[in-house]
Every structure is written in structure tokens, then in C-alpha cells.
Amino acid sequence: MLRARRGLIRGACALCAPVTPTSVTPVGARREQHSTCNVVVVGGGIVGLATARELILRHPSLSFSVVEKEKELASHQSGHNSGVIHSGIYYTPGSLKAKLCVKGASLCYDYCDQKGIPYKKCGKLIVAVEQDEIPRLKALYERGLQNNVRDLKLIGATEIKEKEPYCKGVMALDSPHTGIVNYREVARAFTTDIIEAGGTVLTEFEVNGIEMVKESSADSLEGMKYPVIVRNSKGEEVRCQYVVTCGGLFSDRLSEISGCSPEPRIVPFRGDYLVLKPEKCYLVKGNIYPVPNPRFPFLGVHFTPRMDGNVWLGPNAVLAFKREGYRFCDFSATDFFDSVTFSGLRKLIFKNVYFGIGEMYRASYINAQVKQLQRFIPELSVSDVLRGPSGVRAQALDRDGNLVDDFVFDGGTGAIGSRVLHVRNAPSPAATSSLAIAEMIASEVEQRFGL
């Protein structure tokens, strides 16, 4: 079907058009050395934009600014994800992730209908290809029912072939309300909503300081009304009453700026996709996913159709040597040192050493990744695929090597502590859940800051 329309939070395609509404103000344009507003939201990914939108709709009498370090909005996690609108099957019943995903998916579809944003409810099959996967698949079905995911059903091999003629499986979980969308289009619509409601969006504004106005400054009268300075590396600043950070891959560093703990630490993992050649896209109709294996930290390879007609295969999951490193050769000494010196990463690697070696091998050799994909579509061959885009996941880790799997709010310390709210982690599926997540963040902002 094709249509046109309290914790911390985890920021479609590199080939999609960038999010650059004409009223977004870049650094290169003429703008004041400093401006003022009630609330600054740091981060122009889908979570930051959804949060600013929700706040400005709730409080139209207040002034809001979004600041983003890149020239384009939604440039990183929000612009490099799979584009799937998830239904909420995988998550622990009663958990915040489960509730926000189910609600967020419904809100996402409604918003797309309202704004005329195209999407497809192409569905998803979670496929067991071996008999020993069936108990886990049935448990996943029960979990989905407890999470109130609509119209789930278990189907056999014959029905799998009816839905996905080239897919091999002994049993599958059919999720008909899983869909796909271009999340850059969603982010663009959020940005338009913000601007039309009177908000400001500043790009090329890389925050390197969040601090209180000094009482002795010449403009201390203004400082009494707008006591917080958000400053960038070019000397520009926005003065405000309160700050909310939704920094994705840099959420931990933004938190440290205001004196917060460095944990949970963000460790970047790169996911490389393959792409089906256009003449082979007939092999896949909807999303085809594996049955999750609880022994491994990540989901595994899957098949994802795209709004532009392409089909992505993957991704793998390997340590990225740069937080925004989309190529194997991308390297940042600072980012790499932060990762490898963190005890949590070393413990995660130790607990998953064989999985990690396998992922690195599959990242280097296409045929190894195709072999995994052939478990589901045996007709697939190495000659049918090309190397595709990559994304980098901002994985939050604690010092014991555990993946931080839920939302975390944090404040600053000292005088600034009561005026800053950090969204420290936005685990998948934050894009699906963005509108529901924004409601939660906005409520937390209201409670903490008394808006």
C-alpha cells in the first residue's frame, strides 16, 4: 500500500536529497553574532527536530532554536538508517522501548498521511530457516502480542512462498503493518513545522561550550533573563534560559561539556549494506528479517526494500574508527582512542569475540555476507549485489560492556545543572519512535524547567 502522508534517545539514505529548507540559516549567511531565545535544542537529527517541534507546538508563546553542526539536517544516523517503520515486536513487554515504538509507528503513519509524505506498508517476515529457531520465533510472536502489535500471525512454508516467492523458511512471523519511509522527508517536514511555528534553525553551528553568563559581564541585564550561553567554534552564540541536547553520536561529549559523567559512553559501530542490482530487485517484496539470536549483540543481516525501489541487504556491525566514519578508511585518533581505552568496549569484545571476528570477515568479503543472505534467498549470488551505503550507530555502552538499551536523561552540574537536559542515548528504533519520544522529552523538559 502506497500513501502520501522518560529517558534518553538513539539519530535515509546517503543517496536521498539533503534536508535543507530555504529558511534554515547557515553560518555563511548574514546573522547576528549572538541571539536569544527561551530554549535551545542542540542536534538537528530526527529526534532533536521532533523534540523542538513538540515543544514549540505545546508552548507557542516561547521562542525556540535548533542548532546543528552540519550544513544539512539529518546528516548522520537519521539520514543513514534503513528507513523501516518498525512495529514493536522485539522489545521487552512493558518496556519504554516497546511502548514508544508501537505508539511512534502509529504517530508516524498518521503524520505522513497528514503531510503527504509517501510510505509503503510492505510488511515484514521474520523467518526461521532452521527447526531450532522455531521456539525463539514463537516466543517473539508472544512478545509481539503482549506489545499490542496489530495483526501478527505465524505462517508456514507455503504462506511464506505466497508472500515472498524466493524466500526459504520453515516458519515465519508476519507483521503486515511494518513499513518503509524516507526519514529525511519526515525530518524535512518537522523542520518546516518548526519554522512555520516561529522557531529558528541554525546549521553549521558546532557547539563547543555550554556555560552560564558571567555576572560581571557588560550585558548582565540580558544575562539575568537569558543566563545560559550556547557557543560554537566560530565565536557565535545563542543565549537562552534552557538547553536540551539530542546529540546522537556526540551525546556523551555534549554532556561532558556541562560537567556530566562520561558514561554511558558512545561507541560507534559501522553497518555496511549491499544493494541488489536493479534487475534482481524482484527477489524481494517486503522486509525479510532473521530470528534474533540472544547470544549475539546485534540483529544480523536482513533484506530491506527502499522507497526509491532499491533493496538493501545487511548490515554487518563492525567497530568504526571514527564517529562519523562511513568508509573503512575513515579514521579519527580521538574517536578511536576514546573507544579502545574504554573498559566497556573491551569487555563487550571479550564476550563476543567470535561474533566480532565473523563480522569483520564479512565486512571484508562480499561472498561471506552473501552466504548469510542465501540462508533466506538461495537464488541470490555474489554477481547479484553491489557494495552499498553505510551507516554508523551510536551505541551506548556501560563500563561492564552491556549495551544500554533504554532511554537515559541526564542534567549538568553546578549552576548550569538545573538548566540543561541531555538525551544521552537514542537506541533503535528512534526514527520510528521519534514523535512518541519527543512527547516524552517535552514532558520531561516541562517538569524539570517548569515551562
Side-chain angles (χ1 to χ4, degrees), residues 319-441:
L319 180 67
F321 302 144
K322 183 179 179 181
R323 293 200 179 195
E324 294 162 353
Y326 300 103
R327 300 171 300 172
F328 176 80
C329 59
D330 287 342
F331 180 80
S332 163
T334 299
D335 294 348
F336 181 71
F337 182 79
D338 278 355
S339 295
V340 299
T341 58
F342 179 49
S343 62
L345 176 62
R346 296 197 298 271
K347 291 175 181 177
L348 176 69
I349 291 173
F350 181 76
K351 289 187 290 187
N352 298 279
V353 61
Y354 293 112
F355 174 82
I357 292 172
E359 289 294 282
M360 291 174 64
Y361 180 77
R362 286 186 286 274
S364 301
Y365 299 98
I366 288 181
N367 59 343
Q369 194 163 347
V370 169
K371 186 175 181 179
Q372 292 289 309
L373 295 161
Q374 286 171 334
R375 297 179 65 238
F376 303 92
I377 298 186
E379 286 85 353
L380 187 69
S381 68
V382 174
S383 63
D384 296 332
V385 303
L386 301 169
R387 287 198 180 273
S390 299
V392 179
R393 173 176 178 162
Q395 181 59 60
L397 288 179
D398 66 22
R399 65 178 59 194
D400 294 321
N402 300 312
L403 307 185
V404 178
D405 203 34
D406 224 328
F407 305 99
V408 181
F409 284 136
D410 200 358
T413 59
I416 204 169
S418 62
R419 293 185 176 272
V420 178
L421 176 66
H422 296 294
V423 178
R424 293 293 302 265
N425 178 48
S428 176
T432 297
S433 309
S434 58
L435 287 166
I437 287 168
E439 291 180 356
M440 176 163 288
I441 295 175

Side-chain angles (χ1 to χ4, degrees), residues 186-204:
V186 178
R188 182 179 290 109
F190 289 168
T191 306
T192 300
D193 290 345
I194 292 166
I195 293 167
E196 289 180 348
T200 302
V201 179
L202 303 176
T203 58
E204 297 181 88

Side-chain angles (χ1 to χ4, degrees), residues 29-285:
R30 184 182 180 87
R31 63 189 189 192
E32 298 297 325
Q33 192 68 12
H34 87 260
S35 57
T36 60
C37 66
N38 295 109
V39 180
V40 169
V41 176
V42 180
I46 199 165
V47 170
L49 293 169
T51 298
R53 173 187 176 275
E54 179 68 21
L55 284 168
I56 202 168
L57 292 177
R58 291 191 189 190
H59 302 279
S61 63
L62 300 181
S63 54
F64 295 85
S65 291
V66 177
V67 297
E68 163 59 38
K69 74 182 180 69
E70 302 294 354
K71 184 178 180 180
E72 318 291 354
L73 299 170
S75 291
H76 294 295
Q77 290 186 111
S78 305
H80 290 81
N81 58 45
S82 64
V84 176
I85 302 174
H86 293 279
S87 58
I89 298 169
Y90 298 102
Y91 316 116
T92 302
S95 69
L96 206 51
K97 276 185 86 168
K99 293 175 181 178
L100 290 173
C101 184
V102 173
K103 182 179 182 180
S106 177
L107 291 174
C108 184
Y109 284 128
D110 289 345
Y111 184 79
C112 289
D113 286 337
Q114 175 191 341
K115 296 294 182 178
I117 300 171
Y119 64 85
K120 294 178 182 177
K121 276 192 178 181
C122 55
K124 173 165 71 176
L125 294 184
I126 302 174
V127 180
V129 296
E130 305 290 347
Q131 289 291 333
D132 61 6
E133 294 177 313
I134 290 178
R136 299 204 308 270
L137 186 69
K138 290 182 176 179
L140 203 59
Y141 170 65
E142 294 298 327
R143 174 172 285 195
L145 294 180
Q146 292 178 62
N147 287 341
N148 297 313
V149 178
R150 292 188 298 138
D151 300 329
L152 284 181
K153 62 179 180 179
L154 291 168
I155 61 175
T158 300
E159 291 173 285
I160 291 173
K161 287 293 184 182
E162 291 173 357
K163 290 181 173 292
E164 293 286 352
Y166 297 92
C167 181
K168 170 191 172 184
V170 293
M171 184 179 287
L173 179 53
D174 181 15
S175 172
H177 295 289
T178 298
I180 56 173
V181 72
N182 181 343
Y183 280 114
R184 283 186 183 261
E185 293 289 338
V186 178
R188 182 179 290 109
F190 289 168
T191 306
T192 300
D193 290 345
I194 292 166
I195 293 167
E196 289 180 348
T200 302
V201 179
L202 303 176
T203 58
E204 297 181 88
F205 193 108
E206 183 172 2
V207 174
N208 67 353
I210 303 173
E211 59 193 49
M212 299 296 290
V213 173
K214 294 181 174 58
E215 292 184 11
S216 60
S217 64
D219 50 358
S220 57
L221 288 178
E222 183 184 76
M224 292 175 64
K225 184 175 181 181
Y226 303 106
V228 182
I229 297 175
V230 179
R231 181 177 288 113
N232 71 9
S233 54
K234 298 179 182 295
E236 295 180 317
E237 57 188 44
V238 181
R239 300 187 182 184
C240 60
Q241 294 175 323
Y242 305 105
V243 179
V244 181
T245 72
C246 301
L249 284 157
F250 290 91
S251 58
D252 53 348
R253 292 183 186 169
L254 282 171
S255 298
E256 288 185 81
I257 286 175
S258 63
C260 287
S261 166
E263 295 180 26
R265 182 73 60 84
I266 295 299
V267 176
F269 284 87
R270 192 182 75 252
D272 303 309
Y273 286 93
L274 302 176
V275 177
L276 271 181
K277 291 181 178 179
E279 63 270 22
K280 291 293 182 176
C281 287
Y282 67 86
L283 291 172
V284 178
K285 295 184 178 298

